[in-house]
């Protein structure tokens, strides 16, 4: 299994809603990432979990709340989002080995905030 | 600071022809990894090819090869015998062991394949 699975694929939410994005991998990877991507732009790093601990938080607003319940799962909780938060949210994983590194990406959740 | 530059926002190539996408990077590290990722309209990011900086030999993966010039800090991607399925955004990326899990992406090149 070399897949990173993200759900849902599409999400429309209002500014007062609370929703969660989910990500799962079964490759034994110990690092998991959330990226935000606007159209025709590169992915922007939001958060990194390494061995289930938050290791990088790129000054993301608190309306985005990551959670790593175990080594296979990564969630992104959304609350009180703004229309400018509409984007593709990509999850990725890697082995977290300094000598063997590549990112495996999920297919993303396309989020629209109304 | 590490930066990755892709100077070609858009490129086009005739089907079956060869195209080269350019990437330059800025770093003071001697040990690092370089990647090319492809993002088709489905928006799934797919690893195309990977190069370790300590290896002088250029990486190849079937129709994809790189020209890695360490002194010039250049890492170009050559696509041979271009196919319609190669149409996508291509992102160059850089990572060094000293920056932990931080990957640096270029701004991307949109490749069109003309039938």
């Amino acid at each position: 299994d070399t897949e990173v699975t993200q759900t849902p694929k599409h999400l429309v939410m209002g500014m007062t809603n609370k929703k969660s994005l989910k990500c799962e991998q079964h490759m034994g990877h110990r690092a998991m990432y959330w990226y935000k991507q606007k159209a025709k732009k590169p992915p922007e790093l939001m958060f990194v979990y390494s061995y289930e601990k938050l290791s990088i938080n790129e000054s993301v607003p608190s309306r985005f709340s990551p959670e790593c319940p175990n080594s296979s799962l990564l969630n992104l909780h959304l609350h009180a989002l703004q229309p400018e938060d509409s984007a593709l949210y990509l999850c990725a994983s890697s082995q977290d080995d300094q000598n063997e590194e590549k990112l495996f990406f999920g297919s993303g959740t396309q989020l629209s905030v109304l | 600071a590490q930066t990755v530059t892709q100077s070609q926002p858009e490129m086009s190539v005739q089907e079956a022809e060869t195209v080269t996408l350019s990437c330059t990077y800025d770093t003071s590290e001697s040990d690092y990894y370089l990647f090319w990722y492809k993002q088709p309209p489905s928006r799934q990011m797919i690893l195309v090819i990977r190069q370790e900086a300590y290896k002088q030999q250029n990486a190849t993966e079937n129709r994809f090869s790189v020209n890695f010039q360490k002194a010039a800090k250049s890492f170009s991607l050559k696509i041979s015998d271009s196919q319609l399925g190669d149409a996508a955004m291509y992102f160059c990326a850089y990572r060094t062991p000293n920056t932990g899990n931080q990957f640096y992406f270029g701004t991307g090149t949109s490749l069109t394949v003309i039938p």
Side-chain angles (χ1 to χ4, degrees):
Chain A
D1 185 356
T2 58
E3 282 192 353
V4 177
T5 304
Q6 286 188 246
T7 56
K9 293 194 183 304
H10 301 275
L11 179 63
V12 179
M13 60 186 291
M15 289 190 284
T16 58
N17 292 158
K18 286 185 182 181
K19 297 287 184 184
S20 296
L21 308 185
K22 297 185 183 302
C23 176
E24 189 169 3
Q25 58 86 16
H26 297 287
M27 294 178 278
H29 289 173
R30 302 314 299 266
M32 296 187 76
Y33 308 70
W34 281 115
Y35 284 88
K36 173 183 176 181
Q37 187 181 26
K38 293 280 197 179
K40 296 191 182 297
K41 298 290 186 183
E44 298 174 28
L45 183 64
M46 300 175 72
F47 303 104
V48 181
Y49 274 83
S50 177
Y51 289 83
E52 299 157 54
K53 293 190 174 157
L54 186 64
S55 62
I56 296 177
N57 178 340
E58 291 288 340
S59 302
V60 179
S62 60
R63 57 185 184 269
F64 295 92
S65 175
E67 179 196 20
C68 189
N70 60 55
S71 60
S72 300
L73 294 175
L74 184 67
N75 298 321
L76 186 63
H77 302 298
L78 314 173
H79 173 55
L81 294 193
Q82 304 296 310
E84 60 264 28
D85 296 322
S86 298
L88 181 71
Y89 288 84
L90 291 165
C91 175
S93 69
S94 68
Q95 288 185 346
D96 201 9
D97 178 341
Q98 288 187 351
N99 298 315
E100 179 57 45
E101 272 294 5
K102 48 191 168 185
L103 285 173
F104 292 78
F105 283 88
S107 55
T109 294
Q110 185 65 54
L111 174 67
S112 297
V113 182
L114 304 179
Chain B
Q2 289 86 358
T3 58
V4 180
T5 302
Q6 293 180 248
S7 59
Q8 305 152 316
E10 297 179 347
M11 292 280 286
S12 62
V13 61
Q14 206 76 31
E15 195 175 3
E17 296 295 310
T18 296
V19 65
T20 299
L21 308 184
S22 67
C23 173
T24 58
Y25 56 94
D26 183 25
T27 184
S28 57
E29 303 287 341
S30 59
D31 185 20
Y32 49 88
Y33 303 92
L34 296 163
F35 308 84
W36 278 99
Y37 278 88
K38 167 186 177 181
Q39 189 175 39
S42 67
R43 303 197 76 178
Q44 170 98 47
M45 291 277 281
I46 302 163
L47 178 66
V48 175
I49 202 164
R50 172 182 177 272
Q51 174 83 41
E52 294 98 332
Y54 61 85
K55 289 187 177 178
Q56 292 186 344
Q57 186 172 6
N58 290 324
T60 62
E61 287 286 343
N62 301 314
R63 298 182 294 106
F64 298 88
S65 61
V66 299
N67 183 3
F68 173 49
Q69 302 288 328
K70 191 172 184 179
K73 296 179 184 175
S74 170
F75 182 61
S76 59
L77 175 69
K78 185 171 86 170
I79 307 174
S80 304
D81 185 25
S82 297
Q83 301 176 359
L84 294 178
D86 295 333
M89 280 290 282
Y90 286 82
F91 293 100
C92 179
Y94 160 100
R95 178 192 169 271
T96 171
N98 292 334
T99 57
N101 302 109
Q102 181 67 277
F103 286 74
Y104 298 89
F105 286 89
T107 51
T109 296
S110 178
L111 179 66
T112 300
V113 180
I114 304 166

